[in-house]
Amino acid sequence: NAGVTQTPKFQVLKTGQSMTLQCAQDMNHNSMYWYRQDPGMGLRLIYYSASEGTTDKGEVPNGYNVSRLNKREFSLRLESAAPSQTSVYFCASSEEWGRGSPLHFGNGTRLTVT
Amino acid sequence: AQTVTQSQPEMSVQEAETVTLSCTYDTSESDYYLFWYKQPPSRQMILVIRQEAYKQQNATENRFSVNFQKAAKSFSLKISDSQLGDAAMYFCAYRSAWEDGQNFVFGPGTRLSVLP
């Protein structure tokens, strides 16, 4: 059982380049999330998708876009990377909305923007 | 909006000893869930324990237990018989039972070192 799979694991971009982080879950979860992790700040929500066909902004959405391609897949796109987007990115999913289901995380992507 | 505070950026414990990590949160809700996640150097986020706010009984998972004080809005994690593999970042997280959208809030984390 793979759980939540994220690709790539590492990426180096130059300022202004674009890229898409891919995420897929095989647990039939309704909700999916993208977080970024920065030292001393915990995890901050970028975007989320409560169910297939819906997406909403989180705490730090500027500079990002998302696509919920189907129930399994939720991608995060950086259109024009900036050094401030250097971070570790996590995709996560959860089973039910509002019932205290825990988040299940992918292994993260370490992104460096030079 | 809810906030989660972990006042100990770093802690250390001797192998086989017991350590308690602190977490406090601020909310006006009465129904919610609390979690502790562990992040070892591998970067993977691992669920350690989950607590439902409407349950009085403190959750336990093997060597991990919590002290949930709802009135004080405190949710500490106790690790007994610490092992070298417990060395990691630990994040406390709050999940609203009702609020739409941004309903997971994480604390800044506590880095735990285990000394042999």
Side-chain angles (χ1 to χ4, degrees):
Chain A
N1 192 349
V4 180
T5 303
Q6 268 183 256
T7 56
K9 293 184 178 180
F10 301 93
Q11 184 71 48
V12 178
L13 292 178
K14 293 183 178 179
T15 297
Q17 288 184 320
S18 62
M19 78 161 295
T20 300
L21 280 65
Q22 306 287 352
C23 175
Q25 53 91 8
D26 62 2
M27 295 174 283
N28 201 35
H29 286 173
N30 289 316
S31 303
M32 297 186 73
Y33 309 77
W34 277 105
Y35 286 89
R36 62 177 287 172
Q37 181 181 18
D38 301 292
M41 303 189 74
L43 279 78
R44 293 183 293 168
L45 183 64
I46 305 171
Y47 270 92
Y48 68 96
S49 172
S51 61
E52 185 180 358
T54 68
T55 61
D56 284 286
K57 296 178 180 179
E59 181 184 357
V60 289
N62 292 342
Y64 306 95
N65 285 299
V66 291
S67 296
R68 184 75 183 264
L69 304 170
N70 48 55
K71 190 171 185 178
R72 291 186 63 249
E73 299 173 285
F74 188 41
S75 62
L76 178 72
R77 182 161 179 83
L78 286 70
E79 290 291 351
S80 179
S84 60
Q85 294 178 305
T86 293
S87 188
V88 177
Y89 291 84
F90 285 96
C91 179
S93 68
S94 69
E95 183 176 358
E96 285 288 347
W97 190 258
R99 290 192 184 181
S101 300
L103 288 172
H104 298 261
F105 288 89
N107 287 335
T109 297
R110 181 175 292 280
L111 174 66
T112 301
V113 183
T114 61
Chain B
Q2 294 83 17
T3 58
V4 176
T5 301
Q6 294 177 250
S7 59
Q8 306 150 316
E10 296 184 355
M11 291 196 71
S12 62
V13 62
Q14 208 73 33
E15 196 175 4
E17 296 294 307
T18 296
V19 65
T20 299
L21 308 184
S22 300
C23 172
T24 58
Y25 55 95
D26 185 26
T27 184
S28 58
E29 299 177 332
S30 59
D31 194 9
Y32 50 87
Y33 302 84
L34 297 165
F35 304 85
W36 279 98
Y37 281 89
K38 169 185 176 182
Q39 186 181 40
S42 66
R43 199 170 70 203
Q44 186 180 6
M45 292 286 286
I46 302 166
L47 176 66
V48 175
I49 204 162
R50 171 183 178 273
Q51 175 78 42
E52 299 168 358
Y54 59 86
K55 287 190 175 180
Q56 301 264 354
Q57 187 173 4
N58 289 324
T60 63
E61 286 288 340
N62 301 315
R63 297 182 295 107
F64 298 87
S65 61
V66 297
N67 183 6
F68 174 49
Q69 302 288 331
K70 191 173 184 179
K73 297 179 183 176
S74 171
F75 183 58
S76 60
L77 176 69
K78 185 172 82 170
I79 306 174
S80 304
D81 185 25
S82 296
Q83 300 175 0
L84 295 177
D86 295 333
M89 283 289 288
Y90 286 83
F91 293 96
C92 179
Y94 170 102
R95 181 172 196 177
S96 169
W98 305 110
E99 184 178 325
D100 198 1
Q102 306 176 40
N103 65 350
F104 265 99
V105 180
F106 286 84
T110 296
R111 183 175 300 282
L112 177 67
S113 300
V114 180
L115 308 173

